[in-house]
Structure formats: C-alpha cells, structure tokens
Coordinates of all heavy atoms in Angstrom, one line a residue:
M1 N 43.1 19.2 4.8 CA 41.6 19.3 4.6 C 41.4 19.1 3.1 O 42.0 19.7 2.2 CB 41.2 20.7 4.9 CG 41.2 21.0 6.4 SD 39.9 20.1 7.3 CE 38.4 21.0 6.9
T2 N 40.4 18.2 2.8 CA 40.0 18.1 1.4 C 38.7 18.7 1.2 O 37.9 18.8 2.2 CB 39.9 16.6 1.1 OG1 39.1 15.9 2.0 CG2 41.3 15.9 1.1
A3 N 38.4 19.1 0.0 CA 37.1 19.7 -0.3 C 36.0 18.7 -0.1 O 36.2 17.5 -0.5 CB 37.1 20.3 -1.7
A4 N 35.0 19.1 0.5 CA 33.8 18.2 0.6 C 33.2 17.9 -0.7 O 33.2 18.8 -1.6 CB 32.8 18.9 1.5
P5 N 32.9 16.7 -0.9 CA 32.2 16.4 -2.2 C 30.9 17.1 -2.3 O 30.3 17.5 -1.3 CB 32.0 14.9 -2.1 CG 32.0 14.5 -0.7 CD 32.9 15.5 0.0
L6 N 30.5 17.4 -3.6 CA 29.3 18.0 -3.8 C 28.1 17.2 -3.2 O 28.0 16.0 -3.5 CB 29.0 18.3 -5.3 CG 29.9 19.3 -5.9 CD1 29.7 19.4 -7.4 CD2 29.7 20.7 -5.3
A7 N 27.4 17.8 -2.3 CA 26.3 17.0 -1.7 C 25.1 16.9 -2.7 O 24.9 17.7 -3.5 CB 25.8 17.8 -0.5
E8 N 24.5 15.8 -2.6 CA 23.3 15.6 -3.4 C 22.3 16.6 -2.9 O 22.1 16.8 -1.7 CB 22.7 14.2 -3.1 CG 23.5 13.1 -3.7 CD 23.2 12.9 -5.2 OE1 22.0 13.1 -5.5 OE2 24.1 12.5 -5.9
A9 N 21.6 17.3 -3.8 CA 20.6 18.2 -3.4 C 19.5 17.5 -2.7 O 19.0 16.6 -3.2 CB 20.1 19.0 -4.6
P10 N 19.2 18.0 -1.5 CA 18.1 17.3 -0.8 C 16.8 17.6 -1.5 O 16.7 18.6 -2.3 CB 18.1 18.0 0.6 CG 18.7 19.3 0.4 CD 19.7 19.1 -0.8
V11 N 15.8 16.7 -1.4 CA 14.5 17.0 -2.0 C 13.9 18.2 -1.2 O 13.6 18.1 -0.1 CB 13.6 15.8 -1.8 CG1 12.2 16.1 -2.4 CG2 14.2 14.6 -2.6
S12 N 13.9 19.3 -1.9 CA 13.4 20.5 -1.3 C 11.9 20.7 -1.5 O 11.4 20.3 -2.5 CB 14.2 21.7 -1.8 OG 14.0 21.8 -3.2
H13 N 11.3 21.2 -0.5 CA 9.9 21.6 -0.6 C 9.8 23.1 -0.8 O 9.6 23.8 0.2 CB 9.1 21.1 0.6 CG 9.0 19.6 0.6 ND1 8.4 18.9 1.7 CD2 9.2 18.7 -0.3 CE1 8.4 17.6 1.4 NE2 8.9 17.5 0.2
R14 N 10.1 23.6 -2.0 CA 10.2 25.0 -2.2 C 8.9 25.6 -2.8 O 8.7 26.8 -2.8 CB 11.4 25.4 -3.0 CG 11.3 24.8 -4.4 CD 12.6 25.1 -5.2 NE 12.6 24.5 -6.5 CZ 12.0 25.0 -7.5 NH1 11.2 26.0 -7.4 NH2 12.1 24.4 -8.7
L15 N 8.0 24.7 -3.3 CA 6.8 25.2 -3.8 C 5.8 25.5 -2.6 O 5.8 24.7 -1.7 CB 6.1 24.2 -4.7 CG 6.9 23.9 -6.0 CD1 6.3 22.8 -6.8 CD2 7.1 25.2 -6.8
T16 N 5.1 26.5 -2.7 CA 4.2 26.9 -1.6 C 2.8 27.0 -2.1 O 2.5 26.9 -3.3 CB 4.6 28.2 -1.0 OG1 4.2 29.3 -1.9 CG2 6.1 28.3 -0.7
A17 N 1.8 27.3 -1.2 CA 0.4 27.5 -1.6 C 0.3 28.7 -2.6 O -0.7 28.8 -3.2 CB -0.4 27.7 -0.4
L18 N 1.3 29.5 -2.6 CA 1.2 30.7 -3.5 C 1.6 30.4 -4.9 O 1.4 31.2 -5.9 CB 2.1 31.8 -3.0 CG 1.8 32.4 -1.6 CD1 2.8 33.4 -1.2 CD2 0.4 33.0 -1.7
D19 N 2.2 29.2 -5.1 CA 2.6 28.8 -6.5 C 1.4 28.1 -7.1 O 0.9 27.1 -6.6 CB 3.8 27.8 -6.4 CG 5.1 28.6 -6.0 OD1 5.4 29.6 -6.6 OD2 5.7 28.2 -5.0
R20 N 1.1 28.6 -8.3 CA -0.2 28.1 -8.9 C 0.1 27.4 -10.2 O 0.9 27.9 -11.0 CB -1.1 29.3 -9.1 CG -1.6 29.8 -7.7 CD -2.6 28.9 -7.1 NE -2.7 29.1 -5.6 CZ -3.5 28.4 -4.9 NH1 -4.2 27.4 -5.4 NH2 -3.6 28.7 -3.6
C21 N -0.7 26.4 -10.6 CA -0.7 25.7 -11.8 C -0.9 26.7 -13.0 O -1.8 27.5 -12.9 CB -1.7 24.7 -11.9 SG -1.9 23.8 -13.4
D22 N 0.0 26.7 -14.0 CA -0.2 27.6 -15.1 C -1.4 27.2 -16.0 O -1.9 28.0 -16.8 CB 1.1 27.5 -16.0 CG 2.3 28.1 -15.4 OD1 2.1 28.9 -14.5 OD2 3.4 27.9 -15.9
A23 N -1.9 26.0 -15.8 CA -3.0 25.6 -16.6 C -4.4 25.8 -16.0 O -5.3 26.2 -16.7 CB -2.9 24.1 -17.0
C24 N -4.5 25.6 -14.7 CA -5.8 25.7 -14.0 C -5.8 26.6 -12.8 O -6.9 26.9 -12.3 CB -6.3 24.3 -13.7 SG -5.5 23.5 -12.4
G25 N -4.7 27.0 -12.3 CA -4.7 27.9 -11.1 C -4.7 27.1 -9.8 O -4.7 27.8 -8.7
A26 N -4.7 25.8 -9.8 CA -4.7 25.0 -8.5 C -3.3 25.1 -8.0 O -2.3 25.6 -8.6 CB -5.1 23.6 -8.8
Q27 N -3.1 24.7 -6.7 CA -1.8 24.7 -6.1 C -0.8 23.9 -6.9 O -1.1 22.8 -7.3 CB -1.8 24.2 -4.7 CG -0.5 24.4 -4.0 CD -0.6 24.1 -2.5 OE1 -1.7 24.0 -1.9 NE2 0.6 23.9 -1.9
A28 N 0.4 24.5 -7.2 CA 1.4 23.8 -8.0 C 2.2 22.8 -7.1 O 2.6 23.1 -6.0 CB 2.3 24.8 -8.6
Y29 N 2.4 21.6 -7.7 CA 3.3 20.6 -7.0 C 4.4 20.2 -7.9 O 5.3 19.4 -7.5 CB 2.5 19.4 -6.6 CG 1.6 19.7 -5.4 CD1 0.2 20.0 -5.6 CD2 2.1 19.6 -4.1 CE1 -0.6 20.3 -4.5 CE2 1.3 19.9 -3.1 CZ 0.0 20.2 -3.2 OH -0.8 20.5 -2.2
I30 N 4.4 20.6 -9.2 CA 5.4 20.3 -10.1 C 6.0 21.5 -10.8 O 5.2 22.4 -11.2 CB 4.9 19.3 -11.2 CG1 4.6 17.9 -10.5 CG2 5.8 19.1 -12.4 CD1 3.9 16.9 -11.4
A31 N 7.3 21.6 -10.9 CA 7.9 22.7 -11.6 C 8.8 22.2 -12.6 O 9.7 21.3 -12.3 CB 8.7 23.6 -10.6
A32 N 8.7 22.6 -13.9 CA 9.5 22.2 -15.0 C 10.2 23.4 -15.5 O 9.6 24.4 -15.8 CB 8.7 21.5 -16.0
E33 N 11.6 23.3 -15.7 CA 12.3 24.4 -16.3 C 12.5 24.1 -17.7 O 13.1 23.1 -18.1 CB 13.7 24.5 -15.6 CG 14.4 25.8 -15.9 CD 15.7 25.9 -15.1 OE1 15.7 25.7 -13.9 OE2 16.7 26.2 -15.8
V34 N 11.9 25.0 -18.5 CA 12.0 24.9 -20.0 C 12.5 26.2 -20.6 O 11.9 27.2 -20.4 CB 10.6 24.5 -20.5 CG1 10.6 24.4 -22.1 CG2 10.1 23.2 -19.9
G35 N 13.6 26.1 -21.3 CA 14.1 27.3 -22.0 C 14.5 28.4 -21.0 O 14.3 29.5 -21.4
G36 N 14.8 28.0 -19.8 CA 15.3 29.0 -18.8 C 14.1 29.6 -18.0 O 14.4 30.4 -17.1
S37 N 12.9 29.3 -18.4 CA 11.8 29.7 -17.5 C 11.1 28.6 -16.9 O 11.2 27.4 -17.3 CB 10.8 30.5 -18.4 OG 10.3 29.7 -19.4
E38 N 10.5 28.8 -15.8 CA 9.9 27.8 -15.0 C 8.4 27.7 -15.2 O 7.7 28.7 -15.1 CB 10.2 28.0 -13.5 CG 9.9 26.8 -12.6 CD 10.4 27.0 -11.2 OE1 10.0 27.9 -10.5 OE2 11.3 26.2 -10.8
L39 N 7.9 26.5 -15.5 CA 6.5 26.3 -15.6 C 6.0 25.5 -14.4 O 6.7 24.6 -13.9 CB 6.2 25.4 -16.9 CG 6.8 26.0 -18.2 CD1 6.6 25.0 -19.3 CD2 6.2 27.3 -18.5
L40 N 4.9 26.0 -13.9 CA 4.3 25.3 -12.7 C 3.0 24.6 -13.0 O 2.2 25.1 -13.7 CB 4.1 26.4 -11.6 CG 5.3 27.2 -11.1 CD1 4.9 28.2 -10.1 CD2 6.4 26.3 -10.5
Y41 N 2.9 23.4 -12.4 CA 1.7 22.7 -12.7 C 1.2 22.0 -11.4 O 2.0 21.6 -10.6 CB 1.9 21.6 -13.8 CG 2.1 22.2 -15.1 CD1 3.4 22.2 -15.7 CD2 1.1 22.8 -15.8 CE1 3.6 22.8 -16.9 CE2 1.3 23.4 -17.1 CZ 2.5 23.4 -17.6 OH 2.7 23.9 -18.8
C42 N -0.1 21.8 -11.3 CA -0.7 21.0 -10.2 C -0.3 19.5 -10.6 O 0.2 19.2 -11.6 CB -2.2 21.2 -10.2 SG -3.1 20.7 -11.6
A43 N -0.7 18.7 -9.6 CA -0.4 17.2 -9.9 C -1.1 16.7 -11.1 O -0.5 16.0 -11.9 CB -0.8 16.4 -8.6
H44 N -2.3 17.2 -11.3 CA -3.1 16.7 -12.4 C -2.5 17.1 -13.7 O -2.3 16.2 -14.6 CB -4.5 17.3 -12.3 CG -5.4 17.0 -13.5 ND1 -5.9 15.8 -13.8 CD2 -5.7 17.9 -14.6 CE1 -6.6 15.9 -14.9 NE2 -6.5 17.1 -15.4
H45 N -2.2 18.4 -13.9 CA -1.6 18.8 -15.2 C -0.1 18.4 -15.3 O 0.4 18.2 -16.4 CB -1.8 20.3 -15.3 CG -3.2 20.7 -15.7 ND1 -4.0 21.3 -14.8 CD2 -3.9 20.5 -16.8 CE1 -5.2 21.5 -15.4 NE2 -5.2 21.0 -16.6
G46 N 0.6 18.3 -14.2 CA 1.9 17.8 -14.2 C 2.0 16.5 -14.9 O 2.8 16.2 -15.7
R47 N 1.1 15.6 -14.4 CA 1.0 14.2 -15.0 C 0.6 14.3 -16.4 O 1.1 13.5 -17.3 CB 0.1 13.4 -14.2 CG 0.5 13.1 -12.8 CD 1.7 12.1 -12.7 NE 2.3 12.0 -11.4 CZ 3.5 12.6 -11.1 NH1 4.2 13.2 -12.0 NH2 3.9 12.5 -9.9
K48 N -0.4 15.1 -16.7 CA -0.9 15.2 -18.0 C 0.2 15.6 -19.1 O 0.2 15.1 -20.2 CB -2.1 16.2 -18.1 CG -2.8 16.3 -19.4 CD -4.0 17.2 -19.3 CE -4.7 17.3 -20.6 NZ -5.9 18.3 -20.5
F49 N 1.0 16.6 -18.6 CA 2.0 17.1 -19.6 C 3.4 16.5 -19.4 O 4.3 16.9 -20.1 CB 2.1 18.6 -19.4 CG 0.8 19.4 -19.7 CD1 0.4 20.4 -18.9 CD2 0.1 19.0 -20.8 CE1 -0.8 21.1 -19.2 CE2 -1.1 19.7 -21.1 CZ -1.6 20.7 -20.3
E50 N 3.5 15.6 -18.4 CA 4.8 15.1 -18.0 C 5.6 14.6 -19.2 O 6.8 14.9 -19.4 CB 4.7 14.1 -16.9 CG 6.1 13.5 -16.5 CD 6.0 12.7 -15.2 OE1 4.9 12.4 -14.8 OE2 7.1 12.3 -14.8
E51 N 5.0 13.7 -20.0 CA 5.7 13.1 -21.1 C 6.3 14.1 -22.0 O 7.5 14.1 -22.4 CB 4.8 12.1 -21.8 CG 5.6 11.2 -22.7 CD 4.6 10.2 -23.4 OE1 3.6 9.9 -22.8 OE2 4.9 9.7 -24.5
K52 N 5.5 15.1 -22.4 CA 6.0 16.2 -23.3 C 7.0 17.1 -22.7 O 8.0 17.5 -23.3 CB 4.8 17.0 -23.9 CG 4.0 16.3 -24.9 CD 2.9 17.2 -25.4 CE 2.1 16.4 -26.5 NZ 1.0 17.3 -27.0
L53 N 6.7 17.4 -21.4 CA 7.6 18.3 -20.7 C 9.0 17.8 -20.5 O 10.0 18.4 -20.6 CB 7.0 18.8 -19.4 CG 5.9 19.8 -19.5 CD1 5.2 20.0 -18.1 CD2 6.5 21.1 -20.0
R54 N 9.0 16.5 -20.0 CA 10.3 15.9 -19.7 C 11.2 15.8 -20.9 O 12.4 15.8 -20.8 CB 10.1 14.5 -19.1 CG 9.8 14.5 -17.6 CD 9.9 13.1 -17.1 NE 9.5 12.9 -15.7 CZ 10.3 13.0 -14.7 NH1 11.5 13.4 -14.9 NH2 9.8 12.9 -13.5
A55 N 10.6 15.8 -22.1 CA 11.4 15.8 -23.3 C 12.2 17.1 -23.5 O 13.2 17.1 -24.2 CB 10.6 15.4 -24.5
V56 N 11.7 18.2 -23.0 CA 12.3 19.5 -23.3 C 12.8 20.1 -22.0 O 13.5 21.1 -22.1 CB 11.3 20.4 -24.0 CG1 11.0 19.9 -25.4 CG2 10.0 20.6 -23.2
A57 N 12.4 19.6 -20.8 CA 12.7 20.3 -19.6 C 14.2 20.0 -19.2 O 14.7 18.9 -19.4 CB 11.8 19.8 -18.5
T58 N 14.9 21.1 -18.7 CA 16.2 20.9 -18.3 C 16.2 20.6 -16.8 O 17.3 20.2 -16.2 CB 17.0 22.2 -18.5 OG1 16.3 23.3 -18.0 CG2 17.2 22.4 -20.0
N59 N 15.1 20.8 -16.1 CA 15.0 20.5 -14.7 C 13.6 20.1 -14.4 O 12.7 20.7 -14.9 CB 15.5 21.7 -13.9 CG 15.7 21.3 -12.4 OD1 16.2 20.2 -12.1 ND2 15.3 22.2 -11.5
W60 N 13.5 19.1 -13.5 CA 12.1 18.6 -13.2 C 12.0 18.5 -11.7 O 12.8 17.8 -11.0 CB 11.9 17.2 -13.8 CG 10.5 16.7 -13.6 CD1 10.1 15.8 -12.7 CD2 9.4 17.0 -14.4 NE1 8.8 15.6 -12.8 CE2 8.3 16.3 -13.9 CE3 9.2 17.8 -15.6 CZ2 7.0 16.4 -14.4 CZ3 7.9 17.9 -16.1 CH2 6.8 17.2 -15.5
H61 N 11.1 19.2 -11.1 CA 10.9 19.3 -9.7 C 9.5 18.8 -9.4 O 8.5 19.3 -9.8 CB 11.1 20.7 -9.2 CG 11.0 20.9 -7.7 ND1 12.0 20.5 -6.9 CD2 10.1 21.4 -7.0 CE1 11.6 20.8 -5.6 NE2 10.5 21.3 -5.7
D62 N 9.4 17.8 -8.6 CA 8.1 17.1 -8.3 C 7.9 17.0 -6.8 O 8.7 16.4 -6.1 CB 8.2 15.7 -8.9 CG 6.8 15.0 -8.8 OD1 6.1 15.3 -7.9 OD2 6.6 14.1 -9.7
E63 N 6.9 17.7 -6.3 CA 6.5 17.6 -4.9 C 5.2 16.9 -4.7 O 4.6 17.1 -3.6 CB 6.5 19.0 -4.3 CG 7.9 19.7 -4.3 CD 7.9 21.0 -3.5 OE1 6.9 21.3 -2.9 OE2 8.9 21.8 -3.7
T64 N 4.8 16.1 -5.6 CA 3.5 15.5 -5.5 C 3.5 14.5 -4.3 O 2.4 14.1 -3.9 CB 3.1 14.8 -6.8 OG1 4.1 13.9 -7.2 CG2 2.9 15.7 -7.9
A65 N 4.7 14.1 -3.9 CA 4.7 13.2 -2.7 C 4.0 13.8 -1.5 O 3.5 13.2 -0.6 CB 6.1 12.8 -2.4
K66 N 4.0 15.2 -1.5 CA 3.4 15.9 -0.4 C 1.9 15.6 -0.3 O 1.3 15.6 0.8 CB 3.6 17.4 -0.5 CG 5.0 17.9 -0.2 CD 5.0 19.4 0.1 CE 4.6 20.2 -1.1 NZ 4.8 21.6 -0.9
L67 N 1.3 15.3 -1.4 CA -0.1 15.0 -1.5 C -0.5 13.7 -0.8 O -1.6 13.5 -0.4 CB -0.6 14.9 -2.9 CG -0.5 16.2 -3.7 CD1 -0.8 16.0 -5.1 CD2 -1.5 17.2 -3.1
Q68 N 0.6 12.8 -0.6 CA 0.3 11.5 0.0 C 0.6 11.5 1.5 O 0.5 10.5 2.2 CB 1.1 10.5 -0.7 CG 0.5 10.2 -2.1 CD 1.6 9.8 -3.1 OE1 2.7 9.3 -2.8 NE2 1.4 10.1 -4.3
D69 N 1.0 12.7 2.0 CA 1.3 12.7 3.5 C 0.0 12.6 4.3 O -1.0 13.1 3.9 CB 1.9 14.1 3.8 CG 3.4 14.1 3.4 OD1 3.9 13.1 3.0 OD2 4.0 15.2 3.4
Ligands
LIG1 ZN1 -3.6 22.3 -13.1

C-alpha cells in the first residue's frame, strides 16, 4: 500500500447566507485570509478590493461562481 497523494482540495461552498460582507453587510461570496484572520466580502467588494487583498492574502476563496448558477 502506498500513501494516497494529497488530493486537490475541491472547490468548497463553505460560505453561507450567514456570512456577511465586512464592508456592506451583503451576503459574502469571497473570503480572504490576511494575517491569520479571515475577511469576508460580497462579490462587489471582493472585486473592488481584490487587487490589494491578493497582494497580502495568504488564502483566497471565491464563490462568486454561485451567483451565475
Ligand atoms: Zn459588500
């Protein structure tokens, strides 16, 4: 038996209607981990802050694809 290779993390849909944008309070679709804490943003603010956030974020989680379902 060989160890299974590390699986690619599936695109998870872990944000719920209870997760709210830190900027406006709308439902969050983007989560950015910055300095060990997680910032949540709606699609609008996620896009607005994406360039700056990605420069400092250690993790970027985007569920905006759900909006196109
Ligand atoms: Zn927002």
Side-chain angles (χ1 to χ4, degrees):
M1 291 290 284
T2 55
L6 289 174
E8 289 279 326
V11 175
S12 59
H13 287 174
R14 61 184 176 79
L15 296 175
T16 73
L18 297 177
D19 291 306
R20 295 289 160 178
C21 174
D22 288 344
C24 72
Q27 185 172 346
Y29 286 96
I30 290 172
E33 194 177 309
V34 178
S37 60
E38 191 171 61
L39 304 174
L40 300 177
Y41 291 106
C42 66
H44 171 76
H45 285 109
R47 291 288 168 254
K48 185 177 178 182
F49 298 137
E50 180 170 3
E51 194 175 332
K52 285 183 178 177
L53 282 172
R54 277 191 186 271
V56 294
T58 53
N59 192 38
W60 186 263
H61 181 75
D62 186 332
E63 293 187 12
T64 54
K66 284 198 299 191
L67 292 170
Q68 286 145 29
D69 286 348

